[in-house]
């Protein structure tokens, strides 16, 4: 099962909204086939593992290991349970059940009803951790929310900005840390910022310092104040702008009208849920980040602490939790917080 998890993790950033799945086929304590879900819409892990077995006459004596319950419905690909049954595999070991109601125990039941021995909940905690985005999406009916910001040693996230000052980022983190942030972006389906972040920093919100898929850019711009020359309006990648003025689509940029106020995030996350967006990296300013913290709408936070002092400026979000893990990254410190 540990090998299944290793394989499955190779799909991060490429398989969403599907889960990350790895599969291993064992004959007499020897792995004779393995595979993982490589891209959304392509073959599932079980299919790739089965196709990797050279001598398919051995299946009746094999055990299939998979970190998530095999699917039993027709989606982009045929049901994996049907393939497992047709190949004559007699034993299947599953890490955790699938929270998707289209599966939700039906895969396990179908295998058992066809005389296959099924063992469930092997390394269940680790399997759920790997697919925490996928599980949160179905259990909480919203995307998995990751907060990210950089702060100075004296806990500021930006200098005070005055009208007429040049637009640009007041960097806190170092180049290596910024590369890691682009890696993080490539792993999530969407990235979210507010109006002021676009106006002051003019970010591109892409993965130019890493190889991978650009996340969908989500901008909160209530009265459509961001300049038309902003990088986020360049149509280079999908961009969704929540506002209170209009619904409109132009090339890769879409405007989605909502009511700003107390229920704003519920509307936003409902819309993202309906679009099958399972994870959002929030790189906004203090107001956006603290709004999510206060409303308890977050699952994970990643805080970069740079080797700088601003002495004054915009304070970092008030985040009253203890550090669970600390990593050293050159001259920066990275704090992970997990719910």
């Amino acid at each position: 099962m540990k090998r299944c998890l290793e394989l499955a993790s190779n799909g991060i950033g490429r398989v969403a909204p599907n889960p990350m799945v790895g599969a291993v086929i064992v004959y007499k304590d020897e792995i004779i086939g393995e595979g993982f879900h490589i891209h959304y819409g392509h073959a599932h892990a079980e299919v790739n593992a089965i196709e990797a077995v050279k001598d398919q006459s051995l299946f009746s004596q094999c055990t299939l290991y998979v970190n998530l319950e095999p699917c039993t419905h027709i989606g982009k690909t045929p049901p994996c349970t049907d393939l497992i049954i047709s190949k004559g595999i007699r034993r299947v070991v599953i890490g955790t059940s699938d929270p998707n109601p289209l599966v939700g125990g039906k895969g396990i039941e179908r295998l058992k009803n066809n005389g296959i021995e099924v063992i469930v909940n092997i390394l269940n905690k680790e399997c759920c951790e790997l697919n925490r985005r996928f599980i949160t999406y179905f259990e909480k009916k919203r995307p998995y929310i990751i907060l990210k910001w950089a702060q100075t040693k004296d806990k500021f996230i930006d200098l005070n900005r005055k009208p007429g000052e040049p637009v640009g980022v007041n960097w806190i983190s170092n180049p290596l840390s910024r590369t890691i942030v682009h890696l993080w972006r490539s792993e999530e389906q969407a990235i979210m910022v507010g109006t002021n972040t676009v106006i002051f920093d003019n970010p591109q919100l892409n993965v130019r310092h890493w190889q991978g898929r650009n996340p969908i850019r989500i901008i909160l711009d209530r009265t459509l104040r961001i300049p038309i020359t902003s990088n986020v309006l360049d149509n280079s990648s999908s961009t969704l702008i929540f506002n209170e003025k209009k619904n409109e689509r132009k090339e890769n940029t879409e405007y989605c009208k909502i009511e700003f106020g107390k229920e704003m995030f519920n509307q936003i996350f409902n819309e993202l849920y309906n679009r099958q967006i399972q994870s959002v990296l929030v790189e906004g300013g203090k107001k956006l980040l603290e709004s999510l913290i206060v409303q308890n709408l977050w699952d994970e936070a990643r805080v970069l602490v740079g080797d700088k002092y601003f002495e004054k400026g915009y304070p970092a979000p008030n985040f009253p939790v203890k550090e669970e893990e600390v990593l050293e990254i050159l001259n920066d410190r990275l704090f992970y917080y997990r719910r």
Side-chain angles (χ1 to χ4, degrees):
M1 192 58 68
K2 288 181 178 179
R3 179 59 180 160
C4 289
L5 292 170
E6 288 177 351
L7 291 165
S9 65
N10 290 319
I12 190 166
R14 296 198 298 266
V15 302
N18 282 350
M20 291 177 278
V21 183
V24 171
I25 297 173
V26 175
Y27 171 73
K28 293 185 177 180
D29 294 327
E30 180 182 349
I31 294 176
I32 61 171
E34 61 181 29
F36 64 96
H37 187 27
I38 300 173
H39 287 286
Y40 175 67
H42 292 196
H44 288 187
E46 299 93 323
V47 176
N48 290 331
I50 286 171
E51 290 183 349
V53 176
K54 293 180 180 179
D55 186 354
Q56 303 213 348
S57 67
L58 300 175
F59 281 135
S60 63
Q61 303 172 66
C62 291
T63 297
L64 168 68
Y65 293 82
V66 61
N67 59 290
L68 190 72
E69 176 183 2
C71 65
T72 187
H73 65 291
I74 298 175
K76 294 283 186 180
T77 59
C80 289
T81 50
D82 289 1
L83 180 63
I84 294 168
I85 293 165
S86 70
K87 292 297 181 179
I89 296 172
R90 308 312 302 162
R91 186 169 182 261
V92 177
V93 179
I94 299 169
T96 190
S97 57
D98 192 327
N100 185 343
L102 292 175
V103 185
K106 298 182 183 71
I108 295 170
E109 182 181 5
R110 179 158 174 74
L111 294 175
K112 287 182 176 179
N113 288 343
N114 281 271
I116 296 174
E117 179 189 359
V118 180
I119 299 172
V120 188
N121 292 330
I122 302 302
L123 295 184
N124 178 71
K125 181 179 178 182
E126 291 85 347
C127 291
C128 291
E129 168 69 13
L130 178 70
N131 277 310
R132 58 191 182 275
R133 299 162 180 84
F134 182 76
I135 292 170
T136 297
Y137 175 80
F138 284 105
E139 290 186 347
K140 296 186 178 182
K141 302 294 188 293
R142 65 161 174 80
Y144 185 86
I145 307 301
I146 302 171
L147 309 181
K148 173 264 165 185
W149 70 88
Q151 65 184 45
T152 60
K153 285 190 173 181
D154 51 353
K155 298 185 177 180
F156 290 98
I157 62 172
D158 200 358
L159 294 168
N160 291 321
R161 305 289 190 113
K162 296 179 181 179
E165 287 187 350
V167 174
V169 181
N170 290 313
W171 290 111
I172 295 173
S173 57
N174 63 30
L176 175 58
S177 295
R178 293 197 285 274
T179 300
I180 290 172
V181 170
H182 283 231
L183 163 63
W184 292 345
R185 290 178 180 179
S186 75
E187 294 175 343
E188 311 308 330
Q189 282 184 271
I191 183 170
M192 179 186 290
V193 298
T195 307
N196 286 337
T197 295
V198 175
I199 291 174
F200 292 145
D201 294 348
N202 194 24
Q204 297 180 58
L205 303 180
N206 58 21
V207 295
R208 61 194 178 277
H209 297 315
W210 194 263
Q211 291 185 341
R213 180 176 62 181
N214 284 327
I216 298 169
R217 301 183 292 202
I218 299 173
I219 314 299
L220 277 56
D221 187 16
R222 181 174 186 171
T223 58
L224 301 179
R225 291 195 295 120
I226 65 174
I228 59 173
T229 55
S230 300
N231 288 323
V232 295
L233 297 180
D234 63 7
N235 287 306
S236 62
S237 60
S238 296
T239 303
L240 181 60
I241 301 175
F242 287 100
N243 68 96
E244 62 180 12
K245 297 286 188 179
K246 63 180 180 179
N247 288 309
E248 186 177 276
R249 187 178 186 89
K250 295 180 179 179
E251 299 181 55
N252 261 349
T253 302
E254 182 178 356
Y255 294 83
C256 184
K257 185 178 178 181
I258 62 170
E259 294 181 8
F260 279 68
K262 187 176 180 181
E263 299 299 321
M264 176 184 72
F265 288 119
N266 287 337
Q267 295 173 70
I268 291 171
F269 293 150
N270 282 339
E271 182 65 29
L272 299 184
Y273 175 83
N274 292 332
R275 292 172 184 251
Q276 292 190 298
I277 295 175
Q278 294 182 358
S279 65
V280 179
L281 179 65
V282 181
E283 290 195 28
K286 177 181 173 68
K287 183 178 180 181
L288 175 57
L289 291 165
E290 284 198 338
S291 295
L292 290 166
I293 293 169
V294 168
Q295 296 184 46
N296 206 27
L297 290 171
W298 66 279
D299 299 287
E300 185 175 326
R302 301 170 184 179
V303 184
L304 293 155
V305 183
D307 192 22
K308 289 186 177 181
Y309 293 88
F310 279 176
E311 296 183 357
K312 60 182 179 180
Y314 292 96
N318 182 24
F319 199 61
V321 295
K322 295 180 179 179
E323 302 121 25
E324 294 182 359
E325 183 179 4
V326 180
L327 302 177
E328 292 292 333
I329 302 180
L330 295 185
N331 294 325
D332 286 26
R333 289 175 297 165
L334 172 60
F335 293 83
Y336 276 112
Y337 302 90
R338 183 70 53 77
R339 297 298 296 271

